[in-house]
Structure formats: structure tokens, C-alpha cells
Amino acid sequence: MNVSHDLSFVSLITGASLIVQLVMALLLVGSVMSWNYIFRKMFAIRRARRQTDEFERAFWSGGSLQSLYQSASNSRDSGALERIFEAGMSEFLKAKNSLAGKQNTDPTAMLEGARRAMHAAYQREMDSLESHLAFLASVGSVSPYIGLFGTVWGIMNSFRGLANVHQATLSAVAPGIAEALVATAIGLFAAIPAVVAFNRYSHDIDRLSIRFESFIEEFSNILQRQSR
């Protein structure tokens, strides 16, 4: 018997019991999906960071807010911060036009309406950025336990098979244990990238969130001065 061939990775998977193979298949599906979300989220965060940098440069360049608002309204590829600005500016202009010519207008009402619109847009953008992070967290936390279940089941079957053997040797036990341990290896392969990506992306999204909130406060101060 060619032991090295029998203990190859492919042979260990094809020779495993049905339950262990189902566990491996579940882990592989979870790993493929998590890698898909990892790359999609990486590109989305990079794009959001780039668009935020570009809009902040345009906003603080000293140009007209009206022209910046028109540009944001006509843009088909606006960023998250640009959409937050557009929501606040739109609400502010609507309130300003509706109160035009009226006596004893309250500037606070215009400002609060703009702030609410920006916070609503902010929540929508954060929901979009945080999408699929929960899946990565679930894969990272659950995959090792699913792999461990497959390992325990495979080892249990190996020892049950020893009941029909008169003399237990390492060569008789090793293939079954090796097949079982593959499930743990696949579980770790699925979990580690998901955990690393979740922690990294959560940090990046938190930094973007701080930038969005800071912009809302700074833009609110500008609107407050214009509403007087």
C-alpha cells in the first residue's frame, strides 16, 4: 500500500465519512462566500475612502455651496459623504424657500431639518458599508466549531472501527484520524481570513464614520451661519 498516496489531501477528503464530507462542504461554501465578501468589501471601502477624500477637498476649497450642491445632484457616481451633503443641503434649501418672505422665521427649524436629513443619509450609508460584516463575523466564530464537530465525528468513527480489529496499530488508526483532522484544518482556513477581514474592515468603517459625523457637525455650523 502506498501510504503517502492514501494520506494525500484529496484522498483524505474522498475517503471521509458522509457526515465529515458534509461538514467539509459546508465549510468550503462558507469560505468561498466569505472570500467573495472580503474582496467586495475591500473595493467598496477603498472607493468610499477615495470619494470622501475627493469631496472633502472640493468642499473645503472655498467654492460655492450652491454649485457644489448642483454638482452632487447631477453626479451619477457620488460618494457617501457627497450624498450626506446633498441630503442636508436639499432639506435646508427647501425649508429656506418655504419660509422666504415670512416674518419671525425660526432659523433653528431649518437647521434641525437639515441635520435630520443628514443623519438619515448617514445611517443609510453606514448600513451599506457595514453590510455582510455580520456574515464574516459568523464565519469567523462558527467555522472552527463546525470543523471540530467533523473532527470529533471522524475520530469517533475511527475508534468504532477498531472494535472489529483484533490488534490496533497506528497504521490502522492514522487514516481515520487524519481524515477527521482535515475538517478542523478547513474550519480554520475559513475562520482566520474572515476574522482578520472583519476586524480590519470594522476599523476602516469606524474611521469613515467619524469623518462623516465630523462633516455633519461642521456643515451644520456653516448652515447655521447662513440661516441668520
Side-chain angles (χ1 to χ4, degrees):
M1 178 183 295
N2 191 337
V3 177
S4 61
H5 175 73
D6 289 341
L7 295 182
S8 65
F9 189 77
V10 176
S11 298
L12 292 176
I13 294 177
T14 56
S17 64
L18 178 60
I19 297 297
V20 178
Q21 287 181 342
L22 290 176
V23 168
M24 293 178 183
L26 178 61
L27 291 172
L28 288 175
V29 170
S31 178
V32 170
M33 292 180 64
S34 66
W35 276 107
N36 175 45
Y37 291 140
I38 285 172
F39 284 111
R40 288 174 57 185
K41 191 58 60 180
M42 178 182 66
F43 295 135
I45 292 176
R46 285 183 178 178
R47 183 173 62 252
R49 188 186 297 117
R50 174 180 54 81
Q51 291 173 333
T52 299
D53 292 339
E54 293 174 353
F55 179 75
E56 283 185 336
R57 284 195 297 269
F59 182 83
W60 296 113
S61 64
S64 170
L65 291 179
Q66 190 67 36
S67 62
L68 193 61
Y69 170 68
Q70 292 296 331
S71 175
S73 301
N74 297 328
S75 176
R76 295 183 178 180
D77 188 30
S78 58
L81 189 59
E82 194 171 3
R83 288 189 288 269
I84 293 173
F85 161 78
E86 182 184 358
M89 192 67 180
S90 175
E91 188 65 27
F92 178 78
L93 293 176
K94 289 179 182 178
K96 189 175 183 179
N97 293 333
S98 64
L99 296 176
K102 295 183 180 180
Q103 299 295 328
N104 299 325
T105 59
D106 185 11
T108 305
M110 292 189 294
L111 182 61
E112 287 301 319
R115 287 177 64 89
R116 286 194 297 269
M118 285 191 289
H119 279 291
Y122 163 81
Q123 291 296 334
R124 289 193 296 270
E125 298 301 332
M126 293 306 301
D127 287 342
S128 177
L129 286 173
E130 293 174 350
S131 62
H132 308 308
L133 283 185
F135 179 83
L136 293 179
S138 298
V139 171
S141 60
V142 173
S143 293
Y145 297 104
I146 297 178
L148 183 60
F149 169 77
T151 298
V152 171
W153 187 274
I155 292 176
M156 183 178 63
N157 283 340
S158 297
F159 282 108
R160 286 175 58 188
L162 292 178
N164 300 324
V165 178
H166 296 289
Q167 184 178 3
T169 61
L170 182 60
S171 60
V173 181
I177 295 179
E179 292 169 1
L181 291 176
V182 171
T184 297
I186 296 177
L188 294 176
F189 176 79
I192 293 174
V195 170
V196 173
F198 173 80
N199 291 333
R200 177 62 186 177
Y201 295 159
S202 295
H203 172 73
D204 293 340
I205 292 173
D206 285 342
R207 289 179 63 87
L208 284 172
S209 173
I210 293 173
R211 294 177 67 178
F212 294 165
E213 291 177 337
S214 299
F215 174 82
I216 291 175
E217 294 301 321
E218 292 169 342
F219 185 46
S220 297
N221 292 334
I222 296 175
L223 293 180
Q224 186 176 18
R225 291 193 295 268
Q226 292 193 358
S227 64
R228 293 175 181 174

